[in-house]
Amino acid sequence: MKIVVVSNFVNHYYAPLADELFRLTNGDFWFVEVEPLPESFKKGGFSVYDRSYIVRAWESQAEQQRAYRLAVEADVLYTGGGKFVVDYEKRRLRYNKLTLECAERILKRGLLNIVSPTNLLTQFYYHTRFHKKPLYKLCISGYTANDMYFQHAFKDKCYKWAYFPHIPEQDVESLLQKKSHHRCPRIIWCARFIPWKHPELAVQLAERLACEGYDFELNMVGSGELYEAIEKMIADKGLVGKVNLLGNHPNADVVKMMAEHDIFLFTSDRREGWGVVLNEAMGQVCCPVASKEIGSVPFLLKDDENGLVFGAGNLDALFSKVKYLMDNPEQMREMARHAYHTVSDTWNATLAARRLYDFCSAYLQGKKLVFADGPMSKAVPFLPDV
């Protein structure tokens, strides 16, 4: 079975899945890049990947034509969605060939996104030329199915999906033991310093914790337009020494930092499509405290089981959740254990690739394969109860 992926570029949360698909297909696998890795991503710690299966359609007209041929010939086409891949899907779906289109939350800014050029283009093709074609949606967000059904698209054709960064095998108890020797609980926040990531919530949380007399350390990794404002906010609130700004670091270094922290703080609002840092923090046996509107949260987290979930932007709820962990360190460690096993046992590249391969193989044989939960299980609209 030949599988071709068409997306923007290979990165650290695509490569593990691509490597597994290359292995499962015995090398009959190609990843078509439609654009080079942007300089802004390189500055943010992303690396350029070099794999034998990569086809750089952006390099030349000849490579683009090769990419089109591969997409049409493949048994299965997996696309990153958006306007960049419509040409690949059009060429393929005229032959009624199995196509899987992945997408984060479409309506990140609500109804405003409905009239965006990209959404109008993709919805036009879905409701006209693609409606009765074998095109399925892989939902890289707990809210993608909501947005699709709202637009009367992909009903009963949505499946749970994710980004799958490498999750290392951990000696969980040994790592938790090392963390227990910290002088005080250590919290890590990792994102760009931009409005919808809400770095100010992390600082406001630190202020509340300090006022309540809690001893802690908050380290914030990243940079962005709000960096100087956050730096001033920390100084004005007298939090220098408790809240540390660490700047940008390569992804591998950030993951190592996560292994040295107890709590991972994730404060984004609904504009966070997936949030792969959550997978990575869970893989380093951190206890997550995350906003319910982040795309990965409905799939990865169960409140009070493998992390804590709070209402987006709700400082009181955030403070209550973190305060609970400070007061109950054993429960915090237990949730961190469950968090690790969630991404190491279920939401990982190896299982996801296997399920994708088996799902497609069954489809090509005229069969239907159903998974109860996790990657490639059915995604349906829902309202979170947190």
Side-chain angles (χ1 to χ4, degrees), residues 170-181 285 330 333-334 336-338 340-341:
Q170 301 278 19
D171 183 338
V172 173
E173 296 310 314
S174 176
L175 186 51
L176 285 173
Q177 184 65 25
K178 289 179 182 177
K179 296 186 184 196
S180 70
H181 292 151
V285 201
E330 188 48 52
R333 287 188 283 270
E334 184 64 13
R337 290 185 186 94
H338 287 302
Y340 172 73
H341 286 294

Side-chain angles (χ1 to χ4, degrees), residues 23-97:
R23 183 184 64 80
L24 287 171
T25 59
N26 295 312
D28 206 2
F29 170 81
W30 302 95
F31 191 112
V32 174
E33 292 186 334
V34 298
E35 62 178 322
L37 182 69
E39 287 300 319
S40 60
F41 280 69
K42 294 177 184 177
K43 292 177 182 178
F46 281 57
S47 300
V48 175
Y49 278 79
D50 185 18
R51 297 283 200 275
S52 62
Y53 54 69
I54 297 176
V55 177
R56 295 184 170 90
W58 51 269
E59 275 191 341
S60 67
Q61 187 69 24
E63 283 300 278
Q64 185 177 68
Q65 291 305 312
R66 179 189 174 207
Y68 283 142
R69 287 195 302 272
L70 286 169
V72 172
E73 294 168 0
D75 297 299
V76 180
L77 180 68
Y78 169 124
T79 76
K83 61 182 180 181
F84 297 108
V85 303
V86 169
D87 280 346
Y88 291 90
E89 294 176 348
K90 283 194 297 184
R91 293 164 187 262
R92 176 181 180 78
L93 287 170
R94 72 178 64 168
Y95 301 108
N96 294 314
K97 302 187 77 173

Side-chain angles (χ1 to χ4, degrees), residues 151-312:
Q151 298 180 87
H152 303 283
F154 291 95
K155 185 176 181 181
D156 296 323
K157 297 174 78 175
C158 289
Y159 291 85
K160 293 181 182 180
W161 200 240
Y163 293 124
F164 301 99
H166 172 65
I167 302 299
E169 186 174 343
Q170 301 278 19
D171 183 338
V172 173
E173 296 310 314
S174 176
L175 186 51
L176 285 173
Q177 184 65 25
K178 289 179 182 177
K179 296 186 184 196
S180 70
H181 292 151
H182 294 162
R183 181 188 61 80
C184 62
R186 303 186 77 201
I187 306 169
I188 188 168
W189 182 98
C190 177
R192 287 175 290 157
F193 284 65
I194 56 178
W196 55 270
K197 299 280 190 177
H198 296 289
E200 78 285 353
L201 272 178
V203 180
Q204 291 166 348
L205 167 67
E207 181 184 29
R208 293 275 291 269
L209 290 171
C211 287
E212 291 283 334
Y214 285 96
D215 192 14
F216 66 93
E217 178 183 334
L218 169 61
N219 292 309
M220 301 181 70
V221 181
S223 65
E225 63 186 81
L226 297 180
Y227 186 91
E228 291 183 359
I230 294 298
E231 188 174 40
K232 184 177 185 299
M233 188 179 181
I234 292 167
D236 290 346
K237 294 182 179 297
L239 294 171
V240 174
K242 281 191 173 293
V243 181
N244 306 299
L245 301 183
L246 305 183
N248 281 334
H249 290 267
N251 177 255
D253 292 346
V254 175
V255 171
K256 289 178 182 177
M257 291 180 194
M258 290 172 171
E260 298 170 353
H261 288 76
D262 306 286
I263 298 169
F264 173 68
L265 190 62
F266 206 0
T267 55
S268 299
D269 60 33
R270 64 182 290 153
R271 292 183 66 184
E272 185 74 64
W274 175 262
V276 76
V277 287
L278 179 58
N279 305 60
E280 292 172 328
M282 294 168 74
Q284 295 301 322
V285 201
C286 290
C287 179
V289 180
S291 158
K292 69 179 181 181
E293 291 194 357
I294 293 165
S296 55
V297 168
F299 288 172
L300 296 187
L301 294 187
K302 293 182 179 178
D303 190 45
D304 206 31
E305 182 175 317
N306 63 351
L308 296 175
V309 181
F310 69 97

